[in-house]
Amino acid sequence: MSKALDGVRILDFTHVQSGPTCTQLLAWMGADVIKVERPGVGDATRKQLADVEGADSLYFTMLNHNKRSLTLNSKNETGKEVLERLVKKCDVLVENFAPGALDRMGFSWERIQELNPKMIMASVKGFGPGPYEDCKVYENVAQCAGGSASTTGFRDGPPLVTGAQIGDSGTGLHLALGITAALLQRANTGRGQLVQAPMQDSVLNLCRVKLRDQQRLDTGPLKEYSQFGENVEFGDSTPRAGNDSGGGQPGRILKCKGWEIDPNAYTYFITQAAVWQKICDVIGKPEWKESPDYATPPARLSRLNEIFNEIEKWTMTKTKFEVMELCNPHNIPVGPILSMKEISEDLSLRESGTIVEVDHPERGKYLTVGCPIKFSDSAVEVTRSPLLGEHTDEILSDVLDYDADQIAAIRASGAV
């Protein structure tokens, strides 16, 4: 079975998380991803958060599946010659260096265009053009600068970052989409182009509903937020809203049976207007169905705390899975708070390829995420991450057509 990106060759100059997330997605889709690393050092995450002595860390392995590793010293003259040849042979160059790093290596966008006019160059940066464009950015900085932290957490607490890596991995997802679009456009125009995905922009795109609410404040309070029902005045910016729903249907995280000893014995419960009467029946409050104080969404807005307190009295008598079993037949939107342990043990996620087990020569078997995008005609097989420089000779031979003597000379020069 062919892959969606068969025949596309990626020159991967990325490290840590944002860039590797992007290139791993492209590798899963069939692209030949050549990860370029410093000889003897490699991606910094190979040794970060190490849990098995002498083996690449999970941080590295879980972001670099399906790739080939080439070690290359780009400061070495022979190394630069090898890199120039690679630029001419590849379709896409992806990098997430600090601002200006690639220029200092002698591979500016203008130089890359000279070498290969069809090249697509894709870059992750912390900020786009503006006063902060030269600043270095990490995951949590991106979450803060992109609007996520200021709108996450509870009203009476500090801003919070989320456990979802929306700054790094979220930006990698955006960049991968940009690259595939640029490849499609190149098929029509024959020209490459520069693709950029600033981390601040990507986080803001994922926080668009909060930008929506910022504008709604101009016309009055945000009635679906808990503080409206608590008669707490709104300020001039989108507030933190705890576990309120981000949509127009009020929702909360509620305790379930066993919450006293299990930190994840909770469910998310949404009081969707279309199934309100069924909610009343399920939780044993049939009188609410016709009461003018509860029958309509506007009437319920000032009583959300009372309503969810009553619903929670019911959910606390059921496990989070029993809540699902009882509510789903009535189309009541609920969902269990699943721990990482529960997710890792979910057989259905393994059957779908969402969670996969990979065997590594240094660390043995481990779990990782599979490709989140499923194709009917392009099955994804997740293969292990490469050892440092594992494919150097192979790439020099089959991509750049060097013979054995030339490869030996390149090695002797210290270029790889």
Side-chain angles (χ1 to χ4, degrees), residues 22 58 81 134 145 154 194 218 228 248 281 326 328 335 370 378 400 409:
C22 167
L58 286 169
E81 292 174 9
D134 293 329
F154 288 89
L194 181 62
D218 293 339
F228 173 75
D281 288 334
L326 292 167
N328 281 348
S378 183
L400 300 181

Side-chain angles (χ1 to χ4, degrees), residues 112-327:
I112 288 171
Q113 282 184 302
E114 290 176 7
L115 294 169
N116 183 355
K118 292 186 176 183
M119 172 67 80
I120 293 163
M121 179 173 163
S123 299
V124 172
K125 292 293 179 282
F127 294 95
Y132 308 117
E133 61 184 302
D134 293 329
C135 295
K136 196 170 186 178
V137 173
Y138 287 89
E139 169 65 44
N140 289 353
V141 175
Q143 288 195 30
C144 293
S148 175
S150 70
T151 56
T152 302
F154 288 89
R155 189 175 65 248
D156 55 356
L160 290 177
V161 295
T162 172
Q165 303 291 281
I166 61 175
D168 276 325
S169 289
T171 301
L173 290 165
H174 283 88
L175 190 64
L177 175 60
I179 289 169
T180 53
L183 285 167
L184 181 61
Q185 187 172 8
R186 190 184 69 176
N188 296 324
T189 67
R191 295 175 56 232
Q193 62 180 300
L194 181 62
V195 179
Q196 293 184 314
M199 295 172 73
Q200 181 187 39
D201 298 30
S202 297
V203 171
L204 179 57
N205 185 42
L206 297 174
C207 293
R208 69 181 70 178
V209 298
K210 299 301 183 179
L211 182 61
R212 172 204 67 192
D213 291 348
Q214 178 64 44
Q215 297 168 88
R216 290 173 59 222
L217 276 172
D218 293 339
T219 57
L222 306 174
K223 295 182 179 180
E224 78 282 6
Y225 280 53
S226 296
Q227 71 183 77
F228 173 75
E230 297 167 2
N231 295 313
V232 175
E233 188 176 348
F234 284 81
D236 61 0
S237 63
T238 307
R240 292 185 276 284
N243 291 315
D244 289 350
S245 170
Q249 306 290 342
R252 300 270 181 95
I253 288 180
L254 305 178
K255 297 172 183 174
C256 291
K257 187 176 182 179
W259 68 272
E260 301 93 338
I261 57 173
D262 181 356
N264 295 297
Y266 292 81
T267 189
Y268 200 90
F269 198 109
I270 297 175
T271 56
Q272 187 179 22
V275 292
W276 172 248
Q277 295 202 356
K278 293 178 180 178
I279 291 172
C280 295
D281 288 334
V282 166
I283 68 171
K285 284 286 183 179
E287 65 273 19
W288 280 358
K289 291 191 290 185
E290 304 301 332
S291 168
D293 290 337
Y294 303 95
T296 65
R300 293 194 291 270
L301 285 176
S302 63
R303 296 175 172 82
L304 289 179
N305 285 342
E306 176 196 353
I307 289 168
F308 280 112
N309 285 340
E310 288 298 322
I311 296 173
E312 189 171 56
K313 290 178 183 178
W314 177 78
T315 61
M316 288 171 65
T317 67
K318 307 287 187 290
T319 70
K320 60 190 178 185
F321 299 109
E322 288 172 339
V323 171
M324 278 194 76
E325 291 166 4
L326 292 167
C327 289

